[in-house]
Amino acid sequence: MHSGYGTREVIRGVSLSLGAGEIVAMIGPNGAGKSTLLRTIFGFLRPTRGTLHLGGESIAGVRPHQMVRRGIAYVMQGHNVLPGLSVEDNLQLGAYVRSDRQVRTDVDRLLDQFPILQARRRHKAGVLSGGERRILELARVLLQRPKVVLLDEPTLGLAPRMIDQVYDVVHGVQGGGVTVFVVEQNVRTALRHAHRAYVLEQGTVRFEGRGEEMLQHPEVKRVYLGG
């Protein structure tokens, strides 16, 4: 797959696969094209060449709101909660594409599943810490009942304690049969948690393999893990 902005090609010949119920990590330096790849998968950008499939069906060129209805959720870099609304109201917004009567039940179930949110359900989201907001974002996308969740730098700027909690949530999402594709600058953490991983450099995939194998890869260790 090739993609970019106007005449500037950023992604060149990228080929990857996401298996059902996997955590797959994409690592690489700043400017490698990681976020561009996520934006292309979700439909903000259209591939200039190549194909993109979900369950055997082509989704190249499908718009973002249609991607949500087809089962792809995207948690973007930075914080995307509405600070003036309560934690519970933010969760409810995650079900905007649904018309069934189970939304209330699912919101209550998620609050029970995430005690950190249950304790603050009536609080405005603006008072949450960065890690708590990220957990709220992850819980919210589950109300879309996704097949695939795209995460762009989920641990950026978080304290180590919250990084562990965020990845506990990621594993909980994956444990429910959802595929998680995560772009991370925190290389060691990403590879430790991923079933498989890709290294993207200058818009192309340079290495790929199982997460634990990539932790021991000589070049990955030298460039990204400090030896």
Side-chain angles (χ1 to χ4, degrees), residues 17-216:
S17 64
L18 307 175
E22 279 191 312
I23 298 173
V24 179
M26 175 70 77
I27 65 171
N30 286 330
K34 302 184 300 296
S35 292
T36 298
L37 177 61
L38 290 185
R39 290 174 60 82
T40 304
I41 293 172
F42 195 64
F44 287 121
L45 298 172
R46 187 185 184 106
T48 53
R49 279 188 284 165
T51 60
L52 186 62
H53 290 86
L54 176 66
E57 179 184 5
S58 175
I59 55 172
V62 172
R63 302 305 300 159
H65 70 279
Q66 296 170 316
M67 289 292 192
V68 172
R69 296 185 183 280
R70 294 185 187 211
I72 299 181
Y74 184 14
V75 180
M76 300 181 202
Q77 185 175 327
H79 297 299
N80 302 290
V81 302
L82 295 177
L85 296 183
S86 70
V87 166
E88 186 171 357
D89 287 341
N90 267 274
L91 278 177
Q92 297 250 21
L93 287 174
Y96 73 95
V97 297
R98 292 172 52 182
S99 58
D100 60 276
R101 298 180 180 179
Q102 290 295 113
V103 173
R104 178 71 263 169
T105 299
D106 287 350
V107 168
D108 288 339
R109 176 181 53 79
L110 283 169
L111 287 168
D112 288 339
Q113 184 177 344
F114 302 109
I116 198 169
L117 302 182
Q118 178 70 274
R120 295 163 175 76
R121 66 186 297 168
R122 306 294 185 195
H123 295 186
K124 289 187 176 181
V127 306
L128 301 181
S129 70
E132 290 166 348
R133 290 189 187 196
R134 185 59 81 194
I135 291 171
L136 174 56
E137 291 165 1
L138 288 167
R140 188 171 60 188
V141 301
L142 292 180
L143 284 162
Q144 298 173 19
R145 296 177 174 172
K147 300 172 185 173
V148 179
V149 174
L150 309 175
L151 300 181
D152 194 357
E153 303 287 0
T155 64
L156 184 66
L158 300 187
R161 175 180 62 85
M162 291 309 304
I163 289 174
D164 290 340
Q165 290 192 35
V166 166
Y167 268 95
D168 285 345
V169 175
V170 170
H171 281 284
V173 172
Q174 173 263 330
V178 178
T179 299
V180 179
F181 184 46
V182 56
V183 160
E184 267 281 17
Q185 289 282 23
N186 192 331
V187 173
R188 192 179 302 277
T189 296
L191 296 182
R192 184 160 50 87
H193 289 281
H195 297 101
R196 293 188 299 112
Y198 295 87
V199 178
L200 192 70
E201 294 182 355
Q202 297 182 338
T204 63
V205 173
R206 185 168 180 197
F207 306 113
E208 61 180 281
R210 295 169 58 197
E212 60 267 30
E213 292 175 346
M214 299 296 279
L215 278 170
Q216 303 304 321

